[in-house]
């Protein structure tokens, strides 16, 4: 509801990572989009993220185009511009992947 208050801060978040064609988006079920308020967040991974056990698990899910429930630590950005190829409104630069599990299918 008030992204500017979190701009540049390190946060611990829970959400769903959605692998896309050009980038990965982070979605939080607790942060619902509203008309005129886009909540798209580009997820940016740290170097060597695939070398950690959680990174390996996440990479396997992404290879199968599967969404992942995650707990992440990283820096949130809500600058004036747009981020990444999917022009997300916000960016979350991940510093730690705390947990990963397959997200339930959105459409059973």
């Amino acid at each position: 509801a008030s992204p500017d208050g979190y701009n540049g801060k390190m946060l611990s978040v829970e959400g769903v990572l959605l692998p896309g064609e050009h980038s990965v988006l982070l979605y939080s079920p607790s942060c619902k989009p509203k008309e005129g308020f886009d909540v798209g967040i580009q997820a940016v991974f740290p170097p060597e993220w695939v070398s950690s056990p959680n990174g390996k698990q996440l990479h396997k899910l992404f290879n199968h185009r599967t969404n992942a429930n995650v707990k992440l630590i990283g820096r949130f950005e809500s600058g004036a511009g747009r981020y990444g190829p999917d022009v997300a409104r916000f960016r979350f630069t991940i510093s730690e992947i705390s947990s990963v599990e397959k997200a339930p299918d959105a459409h059973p």
Side-chain angles (χ1 to χ4, degrees):
S2 55
D4 293 340
Y6 296 99
N7 187 32
K9 294 199 163 107
M10 290 297 286
L11 304 175
S12 176
V13 300
E14 292 184 32
V16 180
L17 286 175
L18 303 108
E21 191 66 33
H22 303 288
S23 64
V24 175
L25 294 179
L26 174 62
Y27 168 74
S28 173
S30 65
C31 188
K32 302 281 186 212
K34 295 181 271 204
E35 190 173 328
F37 185 66
D38 174 10
V39 295
I41 304 171
Q42 179 196 23
V44 178
F45 292 87
E48 309 301 321
W49 68 275
V50 213
S51 62
S52 72
N54 285 335
K56 285 183 175 122
Q57 185 177 355
L58 184 58
H59 191 258
K60 280 183 192 172
L61 292 173
F62 284 177
N63 280 343
H64 293 99
R65 289 272 183 226
T66 302
N67 296 344
N69 283 334
V70 293
K71 289 182 185 174
L72 305 169
I73 296 172
R75 183 172 310 280
F76 178 80
E77 295 173 70
S78 65
R82 296 287 181 149
Y83 300 101
D86 293 320
V87 270
R89 174 71 180 88
F90 308 108
R91 177 167 52 198
F92 191 78
T93 303
I94 301 164
S95 57
E96 180 183 318
I97 303 168
S98 304
S99 74
V100 175
E101 60 184 40
K102 181 181 184 283
D105 291 335
H107 305 286

